[in-house]
């Protein structure tokens, strides 16, 4: 019945029938994708424990239906027809992009057997639940068999989708198109060369007194702070909503419906503050994609390095800049009265307090790099060296010792801390650090055009920065690949040098290293 | 692809193939119903304004797909086959109920043309949005054309589903099976005879001082009070969740996933308190339906009078009893400190403060009856006398004057106050008062078996009451019709006499009328 409506609604369109049918098909497929996404959202934000099985069943069904539509003969027929020169020539640039992109993905996905895909979706939901329990109980053995299953599924599925590629390079490419481990090795080595000695110096220097940040901070007040920050950075409530989840994330149904979540720890007020800004950055990206691209593969940005470059630009380059707070520090103190007694300079130091710590999501921007490098090396160990899942906690702890000279007391604050692997997201982690590396480059380009960010922030003109990012990056959605974004915005090859320079300048001053 | 899984999972079942196929079909249909419900939930609790169109499109699609499955030839084939004596005899009682019930609904729904149904669903979503705006702006003219459309659709669709019934009786029967306006006329007349003079006496008596209930009551604290109350009355968080919406409601995906919502007015703390208990009562009902009935027409209770009898039993018979508060009044004062200074007896009087007021959902339990009688008479005017939609605000105001001697200052606090008609729920309102009438009867039956409710509540043994309701009413879900419930629980015909007796005894004492 849905389909009859589409045919009616497109009957006044004067383009070719095949194109209309294709668009109708996409519209229907999008509804199944929307349903899967909504079940996912609900499972994270609202479903009670006992209701989870019913939701897992439904999300499996609708994801599988969407996948079946994405790999159907019918869709293949449309794509072949539209890729043929006479039809392709009639399409505008956006639809050319969509057809080419969908054709490539169709050919890849088609090679995944439907039963394997469905089993994968179900295993993924089970693995995520098992991970939650394992983390809560700090018992890696509960998660290990699921992790093994996710690794095996990932290998099997990648074998279908990218039969000619080395598996880990294929995974990296899935999250950040065009990226490979040779490039990442180069960038991370560049970074390590200067960052290891800089970090050593910082850790040996005098540290801020963080006693004022201890104690109880009302979660309801933290929620109000989040709302204030989202308003301030330009996340639009009319096209966005906020949820509460165990782990903060962002999702978008379209540019008009973007969801961010947060988690409020009573004893860690800065956690929700920076998660708010981070997810807000993702959200601002999605809200400012050209709405004409909504509900197509050209819309919502699918390049995770580029996406993280936006969340991390807001979180770190802006949010951890002293002057970001100048116009709103009074408001923060009104909402969370403990902050009213802390001078801004002390606050600024504490939000950039560099520590050898165990938890990635709570790390400062400097040591954060090592958390990612560790995970990147772990993933190479898993997919290149085929290290057994039972060996992974030991390997994790060794690497924590190597880079940060500390050892987790248990796996909950070690290998179990992140959800990514439980959902089969292997090759995602490097995106975070790629995002920061891109940010160093954007910062150079932005300051060359707009002047010093320090001044813009102090003046409360943050909207100018958001506008610049909207115009340079956001509105293109997925239509520009990461390499194209970097070339268009920065006019050069990706390099870690600007990020290193940013770190060195900022932290030498903050920690009085010279 | 979903279907292949079902066939696999039922292959070990040794019953007839037709029954397996039928169950698989229901399972798939249930997923579409679940998706529609989830979109509905999300639109109320999370969707941002600009995202609404995308959600309306999706809910229309999935509702229509579910409806198509509920009226398909395939389902008709299963039902005919299973209703045939040789197959029917093999079914257990629950499945006999399900087949008979579905067959009757199938035959009714089949008569609705699919395009009419889809147009109705879309019109309903639009009408609900228009009503929200009309209420916000207190501009009935924005809503009137949508209301007319919903009335016309209701007439048209009821003409298909119940061609042989008087239309308003058909609507009443849809919400409370077996109920008709002759019975309601009798019950409401019984009620009015004693309640009009009683109310007059109360309104002329000395009234409580409500000044301590004015001012600002932190919504975050109100939320915590709700959580405390839900725990106390026995709503299980492991199978339930709480949302925030403009208008409180309850919905259930199954007995394991029940959702209640609330709205927190800064200046009306009692509103969220009694909504919490009311929706909690609905929720406890749904959580205690026999889980074997989940996801079938035998599960989640579809009789709105019976459903409201539970929410209103908790809200009024229990929640507005002084002794309900004895064990938890200290906790209330801790969470909402203003209450710590109010003696329990003053609190008790205020929560039973009888007032001639405009808003149904904020009314005391006595004048509430007139709010329903007014709406019942309005609905008869709409469907029997075909009063024009433009005449309805005037009629509303006349009836408010007749029953409560007051007139709304504007339509937002008059005819626009409730959402029901905007969604096409005509014939629903009487259910609330039927619920209270049933409650009077249950109270007699309960006290005959358990002893005085006053004592049970004072002792903090509310779990005994919940258990009694679980056993007598909840666990049967929809398998007992309203008449069967009343017969089984009370052993007599429905009558308003017990409710009148309850009111008279309670309010003569509270207002010292003798």
């Amino acid at each position: 019945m849905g389909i009859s409506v589409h045919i009616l609604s497109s009957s006044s369109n004067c383009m070719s029938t095949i194109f209309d049918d294709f668009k109708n098909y996409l519209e229907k497929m999008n509804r199944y994708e929307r349903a899967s996404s909504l079940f996912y959202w609900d499972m994270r934000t609202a479903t009670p424990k006992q209701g989870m099985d019913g939701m897992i069943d439904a999300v499996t069904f609708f994801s599988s239906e969407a996948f079946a539509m994405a790999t159907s003969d019918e869709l293949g027929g449309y794509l072949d027809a539209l890729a043929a020169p006479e039809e392709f020539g009639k399409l505008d640039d956006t639809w050319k992009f969509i057809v080419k992109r969908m054709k490539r993905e169709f050919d890849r996905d088609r090679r995944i057997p439907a039963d394997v895909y469905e089993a994968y979706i179900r295993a993924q939901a089970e693995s995520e639940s098992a991970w939650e329990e394992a983390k809560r109980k700090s018992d890696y053995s509960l998660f290990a068999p699921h992790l093994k299953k996710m690794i095996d599924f990932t290998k099997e599925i990648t074998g279908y989708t990218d039969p000619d590629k080395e598996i880990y390079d294929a995974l990296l490419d899935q999250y950040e198109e065009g990226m490979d481990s040779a490039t990442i090795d180069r960038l991370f080595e560049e970074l390590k060369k200067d960052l290891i000695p800089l970090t050593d110096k910082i850790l040996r220097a005098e540290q801020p007194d963080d006693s004022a940040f201890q104690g109880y901070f009302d979660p309801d007040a933290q929620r109000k702070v989040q709302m204030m920050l989202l308003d301030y950075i330009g996340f639009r409530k009319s096209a966005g909503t906020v949820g509460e989840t165990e782990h903060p994330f962002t999702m978008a149904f379209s540019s008009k419906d973007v969801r961010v979540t947060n988690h409020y720890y009573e004893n860690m007020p800065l956690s929700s503050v920076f998660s708010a800004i981070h997810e807000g950055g993702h959200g601002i990206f999605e809200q400012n994609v050209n709405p004409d691209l909504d509900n197509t593969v050209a819309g919502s940005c699918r390049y995770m390095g580029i996406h993280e470059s936006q969340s991390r630009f807001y979180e770190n380059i802006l949010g951890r800049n002293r002057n970001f707070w100048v116009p709103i520090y009074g408001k923060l103190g009104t909402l969370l009265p403990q902050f009213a007694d802390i001078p801004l300079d002390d606050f600024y130091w504490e939000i950039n307090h560099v520590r050898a710590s165990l938890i990635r999501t709570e790390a400062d921007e400097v040591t954060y790099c090592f958390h990612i490098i560790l995970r990147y090396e772990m993933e190479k160990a898993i997919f290149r060296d085929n290290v057994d899942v039972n060996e992974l906690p030991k390997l994790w702890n060794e690497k924590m010792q190597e880079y940060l000279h500390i050892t987790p007391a248990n796996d909950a604050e070690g290998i179990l801390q992140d959800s990514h692997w439980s959902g089969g997201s292997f090759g995602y982690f490097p995106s975070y650090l790629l995002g920061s590396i891109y940010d160093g480059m954007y910062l150079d380009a932005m300051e060359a055009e707009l002047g010093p960010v320090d001044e813009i922030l102090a003046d409360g003109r943050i909207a100018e920065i958001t506008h610049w990012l909207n115009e340079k990056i956001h509105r293109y959605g997925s239509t520009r690949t990461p390499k194209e974004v970097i070339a268009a915005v920065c006019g050069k090859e990706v390099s870690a040098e600007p990020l290193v320079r940013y770190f060195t300048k900022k932290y030498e001053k903050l920690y009085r290293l010279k």
Side-chain angles (χ1 to χ4, degrees), chain A:
Chain A
M1 268 186 350
I3 284 178
S4 67
V5 174
H6 308 155
I7 290 170
L8 287 173
S9 67
S10 60
S11 60
S12 61
N13 190 313
C14 44
M15 290 201 59
S16 69
T17 304
I18 190 91
F19 183 63
D20 291 344
D21 290 349
F22 175 59
K23 285 210 293 187
N24 294 335
Y25 189 89
L26 292 190
E27 208 176 304
K28 184 168 177 189
M29 190 167 89
N30 181 254
R31 289 172 179 144
Y32 281 86
E33 287 164 353
R34 183 181 277 262
S36 324
S37 302
L38 187 61
F39 279 107
Y40 180 85
W41 165 261
D42 192 81
M43 286 165 68
R44 294 288 165 276
T45 58
T47 309
K49 192 173 156 56
Q50 291 182 38
M52 208 52 93
D53 284 347
M55 293 296 175
I56 290 177
D57 171 79
V59 76
T60 304
F61 175 77
F62 287 106
S63 301
S64 298
E65 291 288 309
F67 183 73
M69 290 191 76
T71 53
S72 73
D73 292 341
E74 185 178 353
L75 179 61
Y78 294 134
L79 290 170
D80 284 340
L82 290 168
E86 66 279 20
E87 290 287 340
F88 196 74
K90 291 189 222 161
L91 302 174
D92 68 18
D93 284 352
T94 301
W95 282 100
K96 279 181 179 152
F97 176 89
I98 293 168
V99 167
K100 274 200 299 197
R101 171 61 53 122
M102 287 191 76
K103 176 86 178 109
R104 200 173 73 202
E105 287 183 6
F106 177 85
D107 290 340
R108 286 166 47 127
D109 288 349
R110 229 350 215 210
R111 294 194 289 266
I112 308 173
D115 60 338
V116 172
Y117 182 79
E118 180 164 334
Y120 172 71
I121 294 294
R122 198 172 289 270
Q124 184 181 44
E126 287 163 1
S127 167
E128 285 169 341
S129 289
W131 166 75
E132 276 179 21
E133 194 189 347
K135 183 177 174 182
R136 198 170 50 246
K137 299 183 176 163
S138 190
D139 182 349
Y140 179 77
S141 73
L142 296 175
F143 177 52
H146 293 276
L147 177 58
K148 170 138 183 28
K149 212 182 255 186
M150 294 318 289
I151 293 168
D152 291 344
F153 263 122
T154 301
K155 288 179 178 172
E156 181 180 0
I157 289 174
T158 312
Y160 294 123
T161 55
D162 301 86
D164 306 324
K165 255 192 177 149
E166 191 280 325
I167 197 160
Y168 190 55
D169 274 340
L171 295 173
L172 292 171
D173 183 78
Q174 277 172 26
Y175 291 105
E176 187 71 349
E177 192 175 313
M179 192 48 69
D180 55 34
S181 62
T183 309
I184 294 180
D185 284 343
R186 169 175 69 80
L187 293 168
F188 287 8
E189 285 307 316
E190 253 179 78
L191 200 59
K192 275 159 73 171
K193 190 172 68 68
D194 291 314
L195 207 59
I196 289 175
L198 177 67
T199 307
D200 276 349
K201 267 197 270 181
I202 297 172
L203 291 176
R204 281 196 314 268
E206 190 201 335
Q207 295 295 336
D209 171 11
D210 58 11
S211 56
F213 298 84
Q214 314 292 330
Y216 174 84
F217 295 82
D218 182 11
D220 292 327
Q222 292 188 44
R223 202 172 287 114
K224 289 183 182 121
V225 168
Q226 170 176 28
M227 295 304 175
M228 181 273 283
L229 289 168
L230 289 173
D231 274 347
Y232 182 61
I233 64 178
F235 179 82
R236 293 190 300 276
K237 299 289 164 50
S238 59
T241 197
V242 175
E244 185 168 347
T245 53
E246 185 62 27
H247 304 276
F249 68 88
T250 301
M251 67 179 285
F253 289 100
S254 73
S255 65
K256 301 187 177 72
D257 187 347
V258 179
R259 317 272 174 114
V260 296
T261 77
N262 209 341
H263 189 94
Y264 312 96
Y265 295 98
E266 289 177 358
N267 303 312
M268 295 200 288
L270 296 180
S271 173
S272 72
V273 162
F274 285 94
S275 285
I277 304 174
H278 180 96
E279 304 305 333
H282 281 306
I284 287 171
F285 192 161
E286 290 294 328
Q287 287 187 333
N288 290 288
V289 171
N290 178 352
D292 293 344
L293 308 178
D294 275 349
N295 303 324
T296 74
V297 294
S300 175
C301 175
R302 55 184 45 217
Y303 313 116
M304 291 305 111
I306 296 294
H307 229 309
E308 292 298 335
S309 79
Q310 297 309 292
S311 51
R312 297 178 69 71
F313 197 89
Y314 280 92
E315 178 191 350
N316 294 330
I317 307 289
L318 303 180
R320 296 189 202 271
N321 184 310
R322 181 185 180 282
N323 292 357
F324 174 90
W325 297 95
V326 167
I328 54 170
Y329 198 63
K331 280 189 201 162
L332 181 69
T334 310
L335 295 170
L336 275 177
Q338 288 110 314
F339 285 159
D341 302 327
I342 302 174
L344 176 53
D345 284 325
D346 293 359
F347 178 79
Y348 171 59
W349 197 3
E350 182 56 25
I351 65 178
N352 291 291
H353 186 165
V354 177
R355 273 182 266 230
S357 66
L358 293 165
I359 307 297
R360 175 184 63 85
T361 54
E362 308 304 335
D364 60 274
E365 62 181 333
V366 176
T367 60
Y368 189 94
C369 302
F370 299 114
H371 289 274
I372 296 305
I373 291 169
L374 172 153
R375 285 156 178 77
Y376 171 64
E377 292 174 356
M378 294 282 296
E379 290 183 338
K380 288 202 290 187
I382 293 169
F383 289 97
R384 293 216 168 131
D385 309 333
N386 295 303
V387 172
D388 188 276
V389 289
N390 296 311
E391 300 300 316
L392 294 175
K394 190 168 150 276
L395 186 60
W396 179 287
N397 294 352
E398 286 167 7
K399 287 187 182 293
M400 276 310 279
Q401 197 49 245
E402 176 189 347
Y403 286 114
L404 291 168
H405 322 303
I406 52 176
T407 298
N410 56 58
D411 289 331
E413 57 183 37
I415 191 168
L416 289 173
Q417 68 182 264
D418 290 312
S419 65
H420 303 57
W421 293 344
S422 76
S425 296
F426 301 102
Y428 187 116
F429 281 122
S431 313
Y432 295 107
L433 189 44
L434 289 171
S436 283
I437 288 169
Y438 300 161
D439 285 344
M441 299 183 66
Y442 301 151
L443 181 60
D444 282 354
M446 183 182 285
E447 295 203 316
E449 293 185 31
L450 301 183
V453 161
D454 283 356
E455 287 176 21
I456 300 172
L457 289 175
D459 294 349
R461 292 182 285 121
I462 191 171
E464 290 179 23
I465 293 174
T466 294
H467 181 73
W468 191 89
L469 294 167
N470 291 164
E471 291 300 307
K472 298 276 180 180
I473 300 170
H474 303 162
R475 65 194 185 94
Y476 296 99
S478 282
T479 59
R480 284 181 172 175
T481 64
K483 278 197 176 121
E484 289 166 352
V485 172
I486 299 301
V489 178
C490 312
K492 53 180 82 158
E493 273 279 301
V494 60
S495 150
E497 185 275 329
L499 179 65
V500 170
R501 181 158 34 84
Y502 158 83
F503 279 147
T504 307
K505 185 178 163 204
K506 174 172 174 180
Y507 287 90
E508 282 187 349
K509 187 171 173 211
L510 182 63
Y511 275 87
R512 300 184 190 82
L513 299 181
K514 286 203 161 170

